[in-house]
Amino acid sequence: MNRHASFRLILAALAAALGAGCGGGGSDPPQGVEQAAAVETASRKMNVAPLAGDTERPLITLTSPANLAVDLTGTVVVTATASDNVGVESVVFQVDGAQVGLPDTTPPYSAAVKLNLYPAGQHVIRARASDAAGNFSLYSTVTVQVGGTRSVPSGFTRNTTWVTGLSNATAFAQLPDGRLLVAQQAGALRMIANGVLLATPFAQLAVISNGDRGLIGVTPHPNFAVNGYVYVHYTTNVGGAHNRISRLTADLAAGGNTVVAGSELVLVDLPTVIAAKNNGGAIHFGGDGKLYVAVGDNLRSQLAQDLTQPFGKMLRFNDDGSIPPDNPFFGTQTGLARAIWAYGLRNPFTFAVQPGSGRIHINDVGENAWEEIDLGAAGANYGWPGSEGPDNVTAGITGPLFPYAHGEAVPPGSGPGGFFFGYAIVGGAFYPTGNAAGSFPPNYRSNYYFADYARQFVGRIDLLRSNAAYAFATLSGAPVDLLAGSDGPLYVLTRAGVTRISFP
């Protein structure tokens, strides 16, 4: 039997096993289902014995829809042309990294995509051809805008009232047993247990809460289950208005829903803040066990480049508030400036740490034109105020991993960030790669999720596919933080509550 006949017999067997619903003329499975991933894996395994001497890649071009097509709805037939020096074996189509239907073995190559399965916004369509020798073409890719009113992908559930009753929430964190700690700007640190907002606050701090000031960051110690330590970042008026990092101790003996009275230990007092804006706020432990703190420029943009000042920086401390001697500027600076880990930031209100790898993404809120996600690196200079987003990224400046503009590009989708635009990037959560109960489908894992406070959307960055960006959800409240829950859902903190996005 020749290789082409064998290939087609295998495809027929796959089609019989999966059912007619996966065929090009049937209904497409929801994006990201395990079935589609299994089909692509199987199709790759068919090409295991290259034909002698054939190393030439096939060529492929997506012919429809057009790149930057807008407001697509209904069922769209995606088409491609492909060629090879010997012969094209099959063409595989994907939307947002998930295979659509079975590989097409007969020209003209096409797949029917039901766009009502996808949330409104940006999506990426790709196609790749293979030949009998096991050679694969490069992907041909187009970026499109899907219209309609779908708020989350097919198969997902969005619960906008999972928790209500919060007041001016700013940040949240998850404890090892699944409970959530929520910081409210006026100083109350609230506890959510099993989806219920407890009436008694975990702690109450005396804060200044005008503008961006107040209780603005919270994180548990990596060994919280043993020591009960919770770290907070807030604005105090004791000794003049300034931001402070303190450690609280949960009363584990009493269930851990409240703090031990009088347990606050002040670790770091930052310099006086003269403005009520651009305070940053987020705090998290890195993969190295160090405490990272995001500090805004406090409306003094020139300080973001001043390595003697902590403003406009990411700071790094030991868990007792001391400064690690391996910080990048420890040997060249003195005092608190030795805590500087990265600089050139405007208002890093949120950032996130990827479990396992320790990778850090910093969400820096822009001023004139751009929002940006920066890849954290020791000693990096992100350019503010001389650089914002992709503008003026010169030698020595670390440009953004993903920027998006404050207004729609002309034509739509043509600028950095594609069809994404907004005015205040917030949140930030790495979804893990594992397959625990309640997990998202495979192609939604290993993604970085981010949100925009003003336009109230959630997008995702596909870290496995050249940082392609896809629309994920629209919200009914202003988001301020995100986290990937240990029980599987993505939790979105808004100013007034918590939205839960789960699968199914």
Side-chain angles (χ1 to χ4, degrees):
M1 181 183 295
N2 64 39
R3 289 179 56 81
H4 290 267
S6 174
F7 183 87
R8 288 176 173 80
L9 284 175
I10 294 171
L11 285 180
L14 277 171
L18 295 172
C22 283
S27 60
D28 295 325
Q31 176 189 1
V33 294
E34 311 252 357
Q35 186 183 60
V39 172
E40 183 173 9
T41 299
S43 70
R44 292 181 181 181
K45 289 181 178 179
M46 297 171 191
N47 299 289
V48 294
L51 296 178
D54 183 8
T55 60
E56 186 172 329
R57 290 178 180 269
L59 300 175
I60 189 167
T61 301
L62 276 166
T63 54
S64 179
N67 189 42
L68 304 186
V70 299
D71 202 27
L72 298 180
T73 57
T75 298
V76 170
V77 177
V78 181
T79 60
T81 60
S83 62
D84 183 65
N85 62 317
V86 175
V88 173
E89 191 85 299
S90 68
V91 170
V92 170
F93 294 91
Q94 295 181 349
V95 178
D96 297 350
Q99 184 169 316
V100 177
L102 288 170
D104 194 348
T105 62
T106 306
Y109 304 103
S110 66
V113 178
K114 292 187 174 181
L115 295 178
N116 64 349
L117 301 176
Y118 303 91
Q122 175 166 300
H123 297 279
V124 176
I125 298 172
R126 307 196 306 170
R128 185 169 72 164
S130 62
D131 64 17
N135 299 309
F136 289 89
S137 72
L138 300 176
Y139 279 102
S140 180
T141 301
V142 297
T143 301
V144 300
Q145 181 193 60
V146 171
T149 58
R150 175 173 283 279
S151 60
V152 290
S154 177
F156 285 77
T157 300
R158 184 192 68 165
N159 184 351
T160 60
T161 59
W162 185 70
V163 168
T164 59
L166 293 171
S167 176
N168 293 326
T170 57
F172 66 162
Q174 189 166 44
L175 299 177
D177 62 4
R179 290 175 298 168
L180 300 177
L181 283 172
V182 182
Q184 294 187 157
Q185 191 170 354
L189 187 55
R190 306 294 301 275
M191 177 76 78
I192 296 172
N194 298 316
V196 176
L197 178 65
L198 303 187
T200 302
F202 175 80
Q204 178 69 55
L205 299 162
V207 304
I208 310 170
S209 60
N210 63 312
D212 292 346
R213 297 170 172 176
L215 179 54
I216 52 179
V218 58
T219 193
H221 190 279
N223 202 25
F224 170 86
V226 174
N227 59 33
Y229 293 160
V230 172
Y231 294 73
V232 289
H233 186 192
Y234 67 96
T235 315
T236 178
N237 204 27
V238 177
H242 65 282
N243 287 333
R244 167 177 286 176
I245 302 157
S246 285
R247 191 186 76 196
L248 311 175
T249 302
D251 190 352
L252 296 181
N257 286 337
T258 57
V259 70
V260 173
S263 67
E264 179 179 0
L265 176 65
V266 176
L267 300 180
V268 180
D269 277 317
L270 297 173
T272 300
V273 289
I274 63 171
K277 297 291 185 181
N278 293 11
N279 270 331
I283 54 174
H284 299 289
F285 278 90
D288 56 2
K290 306 302 182 183
L291 181 64
Y292 290 77
V293 180
V295 180
D297 70 7
N298 199 226
L299 293 184
R300 292 173 284 175
S301 60
Q302 74 280 3
L303 297 185
Q305 293 294 321
D306 186 345
L307 291 176
T308 69
Q309 295 287 333
F311 296 103
K313 311 294 194 304
M314 289 285 292
L315 308 181
R316 178 175 179 262
F317 298 95
N318 294 314
D319 65 354
D320 62 359
S322 62
I323 300 174
D326 61 346
N327 275 2
F329 305 105
F330 187 90
T332 57
Q333 300 299 325
T334 61
L336 188 57
R338 288 181 163 185
I340 295 171
W341 185 74
Y343 65 110
L345 296 162
R346 179 181 178 270
N347 188 19
F349 182 69
T350 54
F351 68 95
V353 180
Q354 186 176 39
S357 73
R359 179 185 176 108
I360 294 176
H361 282 184
I362 306 166
N363 307 308
D364 197 14
V365 180
E367 181 178 66
N368 296 317
W370 297 99
E371 304 300 302
E372 61 185 73
I373 299 170
D374 296 315
L375 178 60
N381 178 6
Y382 300 104
W384 177 256
S387 173
E388 184 184 35
D391 295 341
N392 302 318
V393 177
T394 56
I397 303 300
T398 298
L401 179 78
F402 180 76
Y404 63 89
H406 286 184
E408 194 169 27
V410 180
S414 61
F419 289 99
F420 285 97
F421 68 94
Y423 308 97
I425 189 168
V426 295
F430 289 94
Y431 199 91
T433 59
N435 190 25
S439 289
F440 284 4
N443 64 301
Y444 288 86
R445 305 174 204 155
S446 300
N447 279 205
Y448 180 72
Y449 292 79
F450 66 97
D452 189 88
Y453 176 85
R455 297 200 65 232
Q456 300 182 11
F457 67 73
V458 178
R460 61 187 179 106
I461 305 293
D462 192 337
L463 302 178
L464 302 181
R465 295 176 178 85
S466 303
N467 300 320
Y470 320 129
F472 178 69
T474 55
L475 305 169
S476 59
V480 290
D481 208 356
L482 302 177
L483 66 81
S486 57
D487 54 342
L490 182 75
Y491 291 100
V492 184
L493 179 67
T494 69
R495 292 286 267 172
V498 178
T499 293
R500 185 178 188 267
I501 302 175
S502 58
F503 183 90

